């Protein structure tokens, strides 16, 4: 929702900047994974027995799904971007994550339904 607010306040043309926005989403997800790994592997965490056993594809699937769920609230504005996200999520490497996190996505959708933007 924050991204939607930024794009609106900047006056960005969504249809002309679909690839840029898609790359930005991918970078946000990669950055999130890198920060998770970094925090888990620093001196303090390793001294306390901390681990990061989350797969990169898992974080990618959750991130892409989260963006898709939120942007679906404005389907006419984000239609081309949603097509890209749907295509990416349809790839085989994400199939098992879809089954594994089905309940989490369903519960998260309930919370998103209560929000308006």
């Amino acid at each position: 929702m924050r991204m939607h607010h930024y794009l609106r306040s900047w006056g960005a043309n969504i249809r002309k900047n679909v690839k840029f926005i898609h790359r930005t989403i991918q970078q946000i997800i990669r950055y999130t994974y890198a920060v998770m790994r970094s925090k888990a592997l620093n001196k303090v965490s390793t001294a306390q027995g901390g681990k990061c056993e989350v797969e990169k594809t898992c974080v990618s699937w959750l991130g892409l799904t989260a963006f898709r769920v939120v942007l679906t609230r404005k389907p006419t504005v984000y239609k081309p971007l949603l097509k890209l996200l749907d295509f990416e999520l349809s790839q085989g490497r994400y199939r098992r994550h879809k089954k594994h996190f089905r309940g989490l996505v369903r519960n998260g959708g309930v919370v998103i339904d209560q929000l308006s933007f």
Side-chain angles (χ1 to χ4, degrees):
M1 289 185 289
R2 186 177 294 173
M3 185 174 193
H4 171 72
H5 174 72
Y6 289 150
L7 292 171
R8 284 195 55 180
S9 65
W10 293 334
N13 185 337
I14 306 301
R15 295 192 188 279
K16 288 185 180 179
N17 296 304
V18 170
K19 290 188 179 187
F20 171 76
I21 297 167
H22 185 249
R23 282 194 306 267
T24 302
I25 289 170
Q26 290 174 325
Q27 287 177 339
I28 290 168
I29 294 168
R30 280 194 300 268
Y31 176 77
T32 300
Y33 179 73
V35 168
M36 288 171 55
R37 297 272 306 162
S38 174
K39 296 283 184 186
L41 298 175
N42 70 23
K43 283 183 181 180
V44 175
S45 293
T46 53
Q48 298 295 320
K51 297 180 199 175
C52 182
E53 296 178 350
V54 178
E55 297 175 24
K56 190 173 185 177
T57 58
C58 181
V59 173
S60 295
W61 186 86
L62 286 168
L64 290 169
T65 302
F67 273 100
R68 189 192 174 288
V69 166
V70 171
L71 297 176
T72 301
R73 302 280 298 201
K74 303 282 185 186
T76 55
V77 176
Y78 295 106
K79 186 175 182 176
L81 182 57
L82 289 168
K83 283 184 179 181
L84 276 175
L85 293 176
D86 286 340
F87 174 74
E88 197 166 353
L89 285 167
S90 72
Q91 295 178 354
R93 65 179 176 219
Y94 296 124
R95 192 170 295 129
R96 66 189 169 105
H97 300 305
K98 181 178 181 177
K99 291 177 183 177
H100 189 256
F101 293 112
R102 185 179 306 140
L104 178 67
V105 172
R106 191 177 320 118
N107 292 340
V110 171
V111 173
I112 293 295
D113 289 341
Q114 295 171 359
L115 302 173
S116 63
F117 66 100

